[in-house]
Amino acid sequence: MARRKGRVKDKWREKRWITVNAPDSFNNVPIAYVPITDDEDASGRVLEVTLYDILKGDPSQHQYKIYFQIDKVDGDKATTIFKRFEYSKEFLRSLVRRGSSKINFIIDIKTKDGYIFRIKVIALTHRQLNTSRKHALRLIARDVINKTVPEMTIEQFVQATCYSKINSDIMAAFKKVIRVRHVGLEKVKLIRTADKETVLLEA
């Protein structure tokens, strides 16, 4: 006698769909509509969007990737925190040219309200620079970040990052010494929340 087959469980029927909103720094605009099994399972999930997905402005905003982490689910909506900002790989490749110098440096910095971020700055010049010139530019960029970011709340910092305000400040400081072709924050990552006991996991 053939064994009777059990009923196949439809996992999708057990899920519900929620709208995921960006943080306050992006006016809580919806960024995704995702299925979840339960609130606890959804918390901590990281979503990737581009700046264009949020602002719907200049198509060049596709080259900036932003990662948000689901913080809390309330009914059919979820709030998020800013997790990471970075250049797309294609954009990075398009910036590099022969005959120019690339300057990088990494700094950890704390906002006024206690969030700690790791920032990777990239600068590209019109011509080759010697080691001392590169070092001087790193010191200038570090000085700008150390003076501005600790005066910002997390909302102000995220906006200054994604809307290129910090880039502009560094570029203005560089121009007093040398003209450069590009300055930007290649990667910005939240490494510690305002609650010092909570260290975020790698996404």
Side-chain angles (χ1 to χ4, degrees), residues 39 43 86 134-135 176 193:
D39 295 2
S43 185
E86 63 184 35
K134 290 179 181 179
H135 181 63
K176 296 174 183 177
T193 63

Side-chain angles (χ1 to χ4, degrees), residues 75-134:
D76 61 351
K77 291 183 179 171
T79 58
T80 59
I81 58 172
F82 173 86
K83 175 74 175 177
R84 197 163 87 239
F85 166 93
E86 63 184 35
Y87 285 3
S88 70
K89 290 179 181 177
E90 296 78 12
F91 181 48
L92 268 178
R93 281 197 294 267
S94 74
L95 291 174
V96 179
R97 294 177 190 169
R98 285 184 182 179
S100 67
S101 289
K102 183 170 81 167
I103 299 129
N104 284 111
F105 87 90
I106 296 172
I107 181 173
D108 289 355
I109 196 79
K110 184 189 285 187
T111 62
K112 185 164 66 174
D113 44 1
Y115 290 82
I116 300 176
F117 289 89
R118 181 160 295 152
I119 300 173
K120 183 178 182 181
V121 177
I122 183 172
L124 296 123
T125 63
H126 291 281
R127 55 187 173 82
Q128 289 282 355
L129 298 184
N130 58 32
T131 303
S132 62
R133 275 293 181 94
K134 290 179 181 179

Side-chain angles (χ1 to χ4, degrees), residues 51-68:
L51 187 58
Y52 181 81
D53 294 330
I54 298 173
L55 301 182
K56 308 296 185 187
D58 187 340
S60 67
Q61 292 164 346
H62 281 296
Q63 62 206 16
Y64 305 118
K65 295 162 68 175
I66 306 175
Y67 298 81
F68 296 110

